[in-house]
Amino acid sequence: MKTIKVIIAGPRGRMGREAVKMVQETEHFHLEAVLDRKHNGKVLSDIEGFQGVNADIYTDIDECFSQHQADVFIDLTTPETGYIHTKKALESGIRPVVGTTGFTDSQLAELKELAEEKELGCIIAPNFAIGAVLMMKFSQMAAKYFQDVEIIELHHDRKLDAPSGTAVKTAQMIAEEREAKKQGHPEEKETIQGARGAVIDGMHIHSVRLPGLIAHQQVMFGADGQTLSIRHDSYNRASFMSGVRICVETVMKVETLVYGLENILD
Ligand code: NAP
């Protein structure tokens, strides 16, 4: 199997650390370099927790790409930075795998256009956990039979964006099967603003942020005399890495932007 050369942005982050480990442990992946906002010119092994990982650290993306010929660029940073990185990677002929969440629709459309123009694969996956993808698919299936639904997403309190990318994606997938319907009483009024959460196509999304949580979501359907809850829980960040590995392998075979892991799983 041909070795896939990878650059990771955000290696000191909670997701980035797991991604470095996953790339190191995967025989046909090679960690070329990392992009960080600190420690320019050092190697990763100089930093605590990365003993034996001899990847060069860059703070400047142009310098990083000019020094290293990589196949895949993994971004695990913040929405603003991740968007700039993804654009740069595509412009430089490197295929992005993006776990960073919070891109706007217009940013996604622009990146899709760029990927197609460059005929390069780009995978943006708001949730790399296979179980979460199944939770979304099962919710889409259930929406054929249950029109009434609300989504509760729960994350750690360092998450920057709300609602989560997974919740938005779930609502979009449900909307493909469900006729738009305003959930709740037609004349309901919020006595405190925000009480009913965010709304997509009439579906309400409630965002919980607490320390102790990682990434969790419950999709709750209701009908006469019954409810159906479909729930997924990620208890650590290693739960996302099998999905990242699949994305790195798949991005080498596609020539467009794919949004969502569910679109590449058989
Ligand atoms: P985190 O622990 O805060 O890590 C983010 C890392 O990005 C930090 O190391 C940060 O550096 C770095 N960073 C920020 N700006 C940068 C820049 N300009 N250049 C280079 N590095 C930069 O966050 P996390 O929990 O790992 O999450 C990272 C992203 O992945 C978030 O968008 C999160 O929502 C998303 N996420 C996705 C999934 C999924 O399955 N797709 C799962 C979990 C999280 P400093 O340490 O210097 O601040």
Side-chain angles (χ1 to χ4, degrees):
M1 200 178 280
K2 189 178 172 290
T3 298
I4 301 176
K5 292 186 270 180
V6 178
I7 292 174
I8 297 177
R12 285 179 300 102
R14 288 158 297 180
M15 285 290 281
R17 281 179 186 272
E18 290 295 336
V20 167
K21 202 164 146 225
M22 181 277 291
V23 169
Q24 290 287 100
E25 287 171 358
T26 307
E27 213 178 318
H28 58 290
F29 291 178
H30 174 72
L31 186 62
E32 263 307 299
V34 296
L35 195 60
D36 195 356
R37 57 178 171 184
K38 294 178 187 154
H39 310 295
N40 194 32
K42 289 191 177 177
V43 285
L44 211 46
S45 58
D46 294 337
I47 295 170
E48 205 188 326
F50 293 103
Q51 277 65 34
V53 187
N54 290 315
D56 293 333
I57 304 176
Y58 293 84
T59 50
D60 185 274
I61 193 166
D62 293 318
E63 193 191 347
C64 181
F65 288 168
S66 69
Q67 297 295 316
H68 294 272
Q69 292 283 320
D71 302 300
V72 175
F73 174 78
I74 302 177
D75 194 274
L76 298 161
T77 61
T78 59
E80 298 76 21
T81 305
Y83 165 67
I84 296 166
H85 284 172
T86 307
K87 211 171 152 186
K88 280 264 182 196
L90 285 168
E91 285 164 353
S92 309
I94 305 173
R95 293 160 187 262
V97 167
V98 182
T100 305
T101 57
F103 289 5
T104 64
D105 286 348
S106 67
Q107 287 174 334
L108 290 171
E110 190 188 336
L111 292 171
K112 187 173 171 62
E113 205 174 300
L114 186 57
E116 279 166 11
E117 184 193 311
K118 298 279 179 187
E119 296 182 355
L120 281 175
C122 172
I123 299 176
I124 301 181
N127 201 322
F128 286 122
I130 310 258
V133 170
L134 292 175
M135 176 259 300
M136 289 189 253
K137 286 194 170 195
F138 296 156
S139 300
Q140 190 179 35
M141 280 168 69
K144 278 186 198 167
Y145 307 99
F146 291 85
Q147 247 224 315
D148 295 281
V149 55
E150 302 222 354
I151 298 171
I152 305 146
E153 58 97 338
L154 311 91
H155 283 83
H156 58 89
D157 61 351
R158 291 190 58 201
K159 185 167 177 59
L160 293 175
D161 52 317
S164 71
T166 303
V168 173
K169 181 73 192 171
T170 308
Q172 290 166 344
M173 287 172 68
I174 289 174
E176 287 170 22
E177 296 294 339
R178 168 189 180 271
E179 264 182 44
K181 176 181 178 185
K182 184 178 179 294
Q183 217 57 64
H185 195 286
E187 289 167 25
E188 75 179 7
K189 282 195 180 64
E190 286 182 336
T191 54
I192 299 177
Q193 197 190 349
R196 294 282 290 125
V199 183
I200 295 182
D201 243 16
M203 271 172 275
H204 291 242
I205 303 177
H206 311 273
S207 298
V208 178
R209 297 289 177 265
L210 285 172
L213 294 168
I214 302 281
H216 317 257
Q217 181 167 293
Q218 180 164 330
V219 183
M220 196 166 173
F221 296 89
D224 249 5
Q226 59 177 322
T227 61
L228 169 67
S229 291
I230 301 170
R231 183 173 171 115
H232 174 261
D233 298 274
S234 275
Y235 295 111
N236 63 28
R237 287 173 178 82
S239 67
F240 301 114
M241 292 305 135
S242 55
V244 180
R245 187 182 292 118
I246 291 171
C247 289
V248 170
E249 286 163 350
T250 309
V251 81
M252 296 300 294
K253 301 175 199 154
V254 293
E255 294 186 344
T256 184
L257 184 148
V258 181
Y259 182 70
L261 186 61
E262 64 284 0
N263 293 313
I264 60 170
L265 292 181
D266 292 333

